[in-house]
Amino acid sequence: MTEAILLVGGRGTRLRPLTVNTPKPMVPAAGVPFLTHQLARAKAAGVEHIVLATSYLAEVFEPYFGDGSSLGLRLEYVTEEEPLGTGGAIRNVASRLHSGPEDPVLVFNGDILTGLDISALVHTHQSTGADVSLHLTKVTDPRAFGLVPTDETGRVTAFLEKPQTPEEIVTDQINAGAYVFRRSVIDTIPVGRPVSVERETFPDLLAAGAHLQGMVDSTYWLDLGTPGAFVRGSADLVLGRAPSPAVPGRCGDRLILPTASVASDAKLTGGTVVGEGAFVGEGARISGSTVLSGAVVEPGAVITDSLIGAGSRIGERSIVTGAVIGDGAVVGADNELREGVRVWCDARIPPGAVRFSSDQQ
């Protein structure tokens, strides 16, 4: 159907410490690197050739995915020496595309979990004769996003920065991070400097009279930019709320990878994932969380809506809620970690050192 560019160069600063050792698209979601879900959905839509625009920790991608043949794809990798932004990254990989000037090229961001009908977006692009087509989604509170109003035919009329007042909220439609470009339009993006498609390319094209088409698809959509969102996205994949052909098992309340060890009386719910070689002890309760490879959850620990990094350890009876525990960190017994806390990689928290309640019951 088409070939694609996948933008995976971001530093994932909002996700740290998850992204200290791992680029954001390679952080596991529902048991496999998040990027696997995107590649599988593109393949299911008929895409055969994908160019990955890499930058941060670029050396991680190719050893894992290789040439893409195991996924039924042809993958190529292009690394930016200096970050070029979304538009600059697209232009930087253009020489690897095989499409003709009028052919459609799919472009999508490496941190969006979505149920987008990719084939419908391409069809919309071709049937309307657009220069660029954008996936738009509707959100309840658009204040944190740039707005993309359209006319009655779906043609984009403006790109509006994040609204500051109620009067500026003229639509609930936002840019959802997936596009189809006419191949020749990509060649108009400036070479060798940072360019933002959202702030420069799209507004400039609109000002020049180009046809930008919006397609509203309000199926599942989630920006995985924050730890809380990433954990929720992984759980939604396991629960079957977010579609992906790459989940390594049946959808349900939990996903336990083959070499993990889970005590018979441990309770795993809410789309919890236990990674390869991880251990969950007796009486532990884990809900809506991800326990990455080699991590240890000791008996009686209670973990909710959290991500437990690779090789880390949660001590007996510790309570972890809405937290991120970095790779190799150790949380001693009888600690209480609450919403928003981030424990850095290889950190050590002694037993009973952090609490929100008395240690005397």
Side-chain angles (χ1 to χ4, degrees):
M1 179 187 64
T2 185
E3 55 185 347
I5 298 170
L6 184 49
L7 305 175
V8 292
R11 299 186 64 84
T13 52
R14 292 184 296 160
L15 279 177
R16 288 173 68 87
L18 290 180
T19 51
V20 169
N21 302 315
T22 307
K24 177 166 53 176
M26 296 297 288
V27 177
V32 296
F34 174 67
L35 180 56
T36 310
H37 299 290
Q38 292 187 304
L39 294 174
R41 294 201 72 246
K43 170 67 167 60
V47 176
E48 296 178 350
H49 176 225
I50 300 179
V51 185
L52 276 67
T54 67
S55 179
Y56 176 63
L57 296 176
E59 66 276 7
V60 172
F61 294 94
E62 189 167 3
Y64 188 91
F65 290 107
D67 63 3
S69 56
S70 63
L71 295 171
L73 293 164
R74 288 183 293 111
L75 300 182
E76 294 188 65
Y77 307 83
V78 177
T79 301
E80 302 165 21
E81 300 306 319
E82 297 291 335
L84 295 172
T86 47
I90 293 167
R91 184 66 179 87
N92 190 52
V93 307
S95 63
R96 302 294 186 92
L97 298 173
H98 308 308
S99 303
E102 300 302 307
D103 290 339
V105 176
L106 176 68
V107 178
F108 49 117
N109 288 323
D111 55 1
I112 301 295
L113 177 59
T114 176
L116 168 68
D117 186 337
I118 296 172
S119 300
L121 182 63
V122 175
H123 175 74
T124 295
H125 176 79
Q126 294 176 314
S127 64
T128 60
D131 296 299
V132 182
S133 297
L134 297 84
H135 170 208
L136 307 179
T137 192
K138 293 178 180 289
V139 294
T140 304
D141 183 359
R143 289 176 297 177
F145 304 94
L147 308 184
V148 187
T150 54
D151 65 16
E152 64 278 1
T153 69
R155 189 161 178 160
V156 175
T157 58
F159 290 91
L160 306 175
E161 282 302 304
K162 297 174 184 177
Q164 303 300 311
T165 65
E167 293 75 26
E168 292 177 307
I169 302 177
V170 297
T171 181
D172 58 356
Q173 297 175 177
I174 66 165
N175 178 352
Y179 321 111
V180 178
F181 277 76
R182 188 191 305 271
R183 171 68 181 85
S184 58
V185 174
I186 292 176
D187 293 330
T188 67
I189 300 173
V191 179
R193 67 169 177 86
V195 180
S196 165
V197 289
E198 300 88 354
R199 295 181 179 86
E200 182 176 346
T201 304
F202 292 157
D204 286 356
L205 284 168
L206 201 61
H211 180 177
L212 278 72
Q213 186 74 20
M215 187 194 84
V216 177
D217 183 319
S218 293
T219 52
Y220 185 98
W221 184 86
L222 186 64
D223 178 348
L224 301 185
T226 65
F230 199 97
V231 170
R232 186 165 72 254
S234 176
D236 284 347
L237 284 162
V238 175
L239 291 165
R241 294 172 180 164
S244 171
V247 176
R250 290 164 53 184
C251 292
D253 237 13
R254 63 186 191 174
L255 173 64
I256 302 172
L257 295 192
T259 59
S261 176
V262 177
S264 59
D265 65 344
K267 187 175 182 181
L268 311 181
T269 59
T272 287
V273 181
V274 182
E276 297 281 1
F279 171 83
V280 178
E282 295 84 357
R285 302 200 310 275
I286 309 177
S287 175
S289 299
T290 295
V291 179
L292 293 183
S293 60
V296 174
V297 178
E298 294 186 355
V302 179
I303 300 171
T304 306
D305 299 337
S306 297
L307 196 146
I308 311 303
S312 61
R313 179 179 291 267
I314 306 300
E316 292 183 90
R317 298 173 301 280
S318 281
I319 298 172
V320 180
T321 303
V324 175
I325 310 300
D327 297 344
V330 175
V331 177
D334 300 306
N335 281 289
E336 295 178 12
L337 304 180
R338 294 271 184 93
E339 283 82 357
V341 71
R342 305 182 190 212
V343 177
W344 232 249
C345 299
D346 301 315
R348 298 289 186 271
I349 298 179
V354 179
R355 298 191 63 84
F356 289 81
S357 63
S358 171
D359 62 341
Q360 301 290 320
Q361 298 301 323

